[in-house]
């Protein structure tokens, strides 16, 4: 199901690609690399593979050390791009990629944890679990365990997902909060529950991606853990779809607050939901007859309404630039905060999932 407008956009974006953070190993670029990887896997077009390997030349040294990466930051975001190293290793057979995978796994082995057992989001955010972090850390962890770890730590990965379900899921809303502070010390955290205040769309998108990518990476013969992940995915997708905008098929920046004037239909989280649903249908984790048409409608709405011509160039708009909690910006997780962050074009965190979703459209 090719779309000429989308193809033109992707070609232009990759041709003129600029790193989200110059001289830093970062997850934002990783989103685009993953999209390119998936396009290569479905089309076989060399340009996608070349894009990935050319990018990695700047970062991966012959001994497997990674430039502009510091494991001792214990930043879970820095693990995510490591998933592309498995692809690079498989395609080239070069040991530097295998060694680089080990460097990142070493970070995870030493990553600080909450008392219950979840990875901290970052060293500078002690005792905090963010929904985003499940995509950033667990997908790489699952891929490693399946390939090189003898599946020894599957139980740890599943336990971390289950802890997040227990601590961060709202039964009434059927949604997950953005973050949780086990210590209850942060000003954004509820003093009783430790939870942030709101349900941020992209964090929910990251969570769905985490589940579907871990389902893809796990050895299905370990059926108990596979079923655990599948159940969590089905519950989460069912929950978020309750808040889908009927007219546009998209989702709001703060998922459950369509009633607030400042709220808006956001691109990156909507693209993540479309991708996760399409992939889940292909993997038979959910019923295609129930979810596939809806997922296609989300992607088509993005292509029709968010892919705009600006100064003669196609650009993907409606993307929340960034949203987090704490830090020097004093981000408090309020509605006002989520609506205050810039809405931008062509952000990697929107473009990457958009390309991922398109790769699944191409598989249909």
């Amino acid at each position: 199901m090719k779309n000429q407008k989308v193809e033109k956009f992707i070609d232009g974006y990759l041709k003129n690609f600029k790193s989200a953070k110059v001289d830093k190993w970062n997850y934002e670029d990783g989103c685009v690399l993953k999209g390119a990887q998936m396009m290569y896997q479905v089309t076989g077009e060399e340009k996608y593979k070349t894009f990935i390997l050319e990018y990695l030349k700047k970062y991966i040294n012959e001994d497997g050390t990674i430039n502009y990466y510091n494991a001792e930051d214990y930043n879970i975001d820095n693990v995510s791009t490591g998933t592309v190293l498995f692809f690079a290793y498989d395609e080239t057979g070069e040991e530097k990629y295998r060694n680089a995978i080990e460097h990142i796994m070493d970070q995870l082995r030493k990553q600080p944890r909450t008392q219950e057992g979840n990875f901290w989001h970052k060293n500078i955010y002690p005792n905090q679990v963010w929904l985003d972090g499940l995509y950033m850390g667990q997908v790489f962890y699952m891929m490693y365990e399946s390939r090189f770890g003898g599946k020894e730590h599957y139980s740890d990965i599943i336990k971390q997902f289950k802890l997040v379900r227990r601590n961060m899921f709202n039964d009434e809303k059927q949604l997950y909060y953005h973050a949780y502070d086990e210590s209850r010390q942060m000003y954004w955290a509820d003093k009783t529950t430790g939870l942030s205040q709101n349900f941020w769309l992209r964090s929910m998108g990251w969570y769905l991606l985490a589940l579907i990518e871990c389902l893809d990476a796990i050895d299905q013969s370990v059926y108990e853990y596979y079923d655990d992940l599948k159940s969590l995915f089905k519950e989460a997708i069912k929950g978020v779809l309750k808040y889908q905008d009927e007219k546009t098929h998209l989702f709001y920046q703060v998922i459950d607050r369509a009633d607030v004037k400042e709220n808006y239909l956001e691109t990156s989280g909507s693209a993540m939901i479309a991708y996760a649903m399409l992939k889940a249908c292909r993997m038979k984790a959910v019923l295609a007859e129930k979810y596939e048409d809806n997922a296609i409608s989300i992607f088509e709405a993005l292509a029709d309404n968010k892919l705009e011509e600006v100064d003669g160039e196609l650009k993907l708009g409606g993307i929340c630039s960034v949203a987090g909690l704490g830090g020097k910006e004093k981000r408090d997780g309020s509605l006002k905060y989520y609506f205050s962050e810039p809405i931008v074009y062509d952000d990697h965190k929107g473009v990457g999932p958009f390309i991922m979703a398109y790769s699944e459209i191409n598989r249909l």
Side-chain angles (χ1 to χ4, degrees):
M1 293 174 69
K2 284 192 179 291
N3 180 314
Q4 286 186 313
K5 182 182 174 188
V6 175
E7 299 261 340
K8 184 182 174 186
F9 166 70
I10 294 172
D11 282 349
Y13 190 88
L14 296 183
K15 190 176 169 185
N16 302 307
F17 181 79
K18 292 183 177 65
S19 177
K21 291 175 181 168
V22 179
D23 296 344
K24 191 170 182 193
W25 176 255
N26 67 85
Y27 79 92
E28 292 95 331
D29 290 358
C31 293
V32 180
L33 294 170
K34 284 293 281 188
Q37 176 188 325
M38 291 168 188
M39 286 300 290
Y40 175 72
Q41 287 165 336
V42 71
T43 67
E45 292 182 41
E46 287 294 318
K47 63 185 177 184
Y48 297 114
K49 178 172 149 182
T50 302
F51 171 76
I52 295 163
L53 296 179
E54 284 298 313
Y55 176 92
L56 291 175
K57 277 182 185 174
K58 177 181 173 182
Y59 292 92
I60 310 301
N61 299 313
E62 284 306 313
D63 62 355
T65 53
I66 304 171
N67 297 325
Y68 316 113
Y69 163 74
N70 181 12
E72 288 172 10
D73 288 341
Y74 295 115
N75 181 345
I76 205 81
D77 289 342
N78 293 340
V79 172
S80 176
T81 302
T83 59
V84 183
L85 298 172
F86 293 87
F87 169 79
Y89 181 53
D90 288 342
E91 290 297 319
T92 67
E94 293 179 28
E95 281 302 308
K96 65 181 180 181
Y97 296 119
R98 175 73 181 87
N99 294 334
I101 288 167
E102 283 301 329
H103 283 300
I104 292 177
M105 191 59 209
D106 279 343
Q107 176 191 324
L108 272 192
R109 289 185 183 109
K110 299 168 188 166
Q111 186 81 7
R113 295 177 182 241
T114 62
Q115 289 181 357
E116 289 182 310
N118 275 113
F119 292 138
W120 286 6
H121 195 65
K122 300 181 186 180
N123 213 27
I124 58 169
Y125 296 147
N127 309 303
Q128 294 174 38
V129 182
W130 294 18
L131 213 49
D132 330 11
L134 289 152
Y135 176 75
M136 302 303 164
Q138 304 299 337
V139 179
F140 177 91
Y141 193 4
M142 183 68 84
M143 290 174 75
Y144 184 90
E145 283 303 309
S146 293
R147 287 285 296 276
F148 307 121
K151 303 161 201 162
E152 188 185 343
H153 296 105
Y154 274 3
S155 58
D156 181 33
I157 298 167
I158 303 303
K159 179 187 173 186
Q160 292 198 50
F161 274 107
K162 285 184 170 179
L163 284 170
V164 163
R165 169 64 176 77
R166 192 177 79 196
N167 292 327
M168 297 172 68
F169 187 70
N170 181 303
D171 282 296
E172 183 193 346
K173 296 276 189 179
Q174 295 287 294
L175 295 169
Y176 285 80
Y177 291 96
H178 186 175
Y180 166 70
D181 172 22
E182 186 181 57
S183 72
R184 277 81 167 154
Q185 297 299 305
M186 289 303 293
Y187 52 84
W188 53 257
D190 183 280
K191 296 304 173 212
T192 305
T193 64
L195 291 162
S196 58
Q197 300 173 50
N198 285 297
F199 307 103
W200 178 44
L201 178 63
R202 189 156 70 223
S203 69
M204 196 75 200
W206 289 127
Y207 180 66
L208 289 167
L209 260 58
L211 287 165
I212 202 63
E213 298 301 334
C214 282
L215 269 170
D216 196 22
I218 197 171
D219 182 341
Q220 289 189 30
S221 68
V222 189
Y223 61 88
E224 181 189 344
Y225 293 149
Y226 183 83
D227 286 349
D228 284 338
L229 289 172
K230 191 161 81 167
S231 296
L232 287 170
F233 181 86
K234 287 165 88 168
E235 177 183 62
I237 199 71
K238 194 175 165 189
V240 78
L241 285 173
K242 283 169 51 181
Y243 303 93
Q244 185 175 18
D245 181 61
E246 284 183 28
K247 185 179 168 192
T248 65
H249 306 289
L250 304 180
F251 298 84
Y252 282 92
Q253 160 78 340
V254 177
I255 302 170
D256 62 324
R257 297 307 305 272
D259 59 311
V260 180
K261 182 166 65 81
E262 293 83 1
N263 210 352
Y264 61 95
L265 296 162
E266 200 276 334
T267 297
S268 67
S270 296
M272 289 172 177
I273 292 167
Y275 166 70
M277 285 167 68
L278 285 164
K279 185 161 184 171
C281 290
R282 175 167 62 83
M283 290 171 57
K284 298 183 170 56
V286 296
L287 290 170
E289 54 265 35
K290 190 173 176 184
Y291 291 99
E292 194 173 87
D293 286 347
N294 190 358
I296 294 167
S297 74
I298 298 167
F299 181 80
E300 288 176 344
L302 291 170
D304 291 344
N305 302 304
K306 299 295 188 178
L307 201 52
E308 306 168 36
E309 193 160 310
V310 182
D311 300 328
E313 279 183 64
L314 282 171
K315 291 182 176 291
L316 188 66
I319 305 168
C320 169
S321 175
V322 67
L325 295 155
K328 57 182 182 291
E329 306 93 342
K330 300 290 181 194
R331 301 172 296 184
D332 65 357
S334 63
L335 289 177
K336 186 180 176 185
Y337 164 67
Y338 285 110
F339 304 146
S340 73
E341 290 288 8
I343 304 167
V344 298
Y345 287 100
D346 284 1
D347 188 284
H348 303 57
K349 301 179 292 293
V351 174
F354 182 75
I355 299 174
M356 292 179 206
Y358 186 60
S359 77
E360 289 295 331
I361 293 281
N362 269 258
R363 288 180 187 266
L364 292 173

